[in-house]
Amino acid sequence: MPTTTSADDAAAPRRVRRLERPGWRDVRLVVGVLLVLLSVAGGIRLVASLDDTTPVYAATRDLLPGQPVGEGDVVAVPVRMEDHLARYVDGSAPLQPGTHLLRQVRAGELVPAAALGTAREALDKTVSVPVDVSAARTLEAGTVVDVWVSRRDPDALGEAYLDPERLLAGAVVDHVPAASSGLGAGVGRTAVQVVVPADRVGDLIAAVDQGSRTTLVPAPRAGSEQGR
């Protein structure tokens, strides 16, 4: 029967110790590792919070109303803003083709979202049109109207007008003066501001200056058109 040597007797306690549960020193090592990991994660969050910025477009040069806006006209700059961020153009998205300036933006100025629009919005102009006070009460900002004019009859004696003709279709009311409640309210004419295409501004101004009677007729709504 084989006998156990002294070397085997010495190795036996070491094998037993390997099978024992970790001691308090091992638990302290694990806790230390966790603390280091938490510290690293906290540092990452701190660095991220220090760079909590959002890209917003700024003008690279003076931009004038009516001109198209391309990539070379603006540059994305990081800004730290919370309350009014939606007022400016997001610098993380490319500008849509056909974008135009609606108002002037100085070089280095953040580009307001309200300063950009379509080519038509950039070229359209606002013209004051005199209409009957009672008719103006049926209008409000945003109403789409057709502009009808009754020109003066040059051959008639006194104040006489020719048959009305449609001068412009699809104009948009920009502003209607507040209705008066005093004596004589609802009588006479008042100036309603109408947005018209730039190439028709001269025609409308000429009609007004020549004393034509202008009438703004609200265009039928899409739902009304479909119901017919």
Side-chain angles (χ1 to χ4, degrees):
M1 183 174 181
T3 59
T4 304
T5 63
S6 60
D8 294 335
D9 293 340
R14 289 198 296 271
R15 289 196 294 269
V16 172
R17 283 196 295 270
R18 291 194 189 99
L19 298 177
E20 292 177 352
R21 294 181 178 179
W24 66 272
R25 289 196 180 96
D26 298 319
V27 174
R28 186 174 62 178
L29 176 62
V30 172
V31 172
V33 172
L34 290 176
L35 290 176
V36 171
L37 293 177
L38 291 174
S39 176
V40 172
I44 294 175
R45 287 196 299 270
L46 177 60
V47 172
S49 64
L50 293 177
D51 192 29
D52 187 15
T53 59
T54 302
V56 173
Y57 279 126
T60 58
R61 58 188 180 86
D62 289 345
L63 304 177
L64 302 178
Q67 74 177 70
V69 184
E71 294 182 357
D73 300 317
V74 295
V75 62
V77 296
V79 297
R80 185 176 289 107
M81 186 184 307
E82 296 180 0
D83 297 337
H84 306 295
L85 185 61
R87 297 182 181 180
Y88 299 95
V89 181
D90 184 3
S92 63
L95 294 178
Q96 294 296 322
T99 300
H100 283 64
L101 256 295
L102 304 183
R103 71 168 183 82
Q104 184 178 16
V105 180
R106 297 287 187 181
E109 179 184 353
L110 298 181
V111 181
L116 299 184
T118 63
R120 176 170 180 177
E121 291 173 333
L123 298 176
D124 287 354
K125 306 299 179 182
T126 301
V127 180
S128 293
V129 178
V131 299
D132 290 334
V133 173
S134 58
R137 290 179 175 177
T138 65
L139 304 173
E140 60 183 11
T143 301
V144 179
V145 296
D146 293 341
V147 181
W148 289 73
V149 297
S150 299
R151 304 182 187 277
R152 284 184 175 274
D153 187 349
D155 300 327
L157 297 177
E159 188 174 349
Y161 298 88
L162 300 174
D163 292 337
E165 59 182 274
R166 188 172 68 175
L167 179 67
L168 179 63
V172 180
V173 174
D174 181 64
H175 176 72
V176 180
S180 174
S181 58
L183 183 64
V187 179
R189 301 176 74 78
T190 186
V192 175
Q193 294 182 351
V194 181
V195 180
V196 301
D199 59 348
R200 302 304 304 277
V201 170
D203 297 335
L204 183 54
I205 292 178
V208 172
D209 290 346
Q210 292 168 6
S212 302
R213 295 184 65 87
T214 54
T215 304
L216 303 180
V217 180
R221 297 183 180 181
S224 301
E225 286 289 310
Q226 295 174 357
R228 293 181 180 178

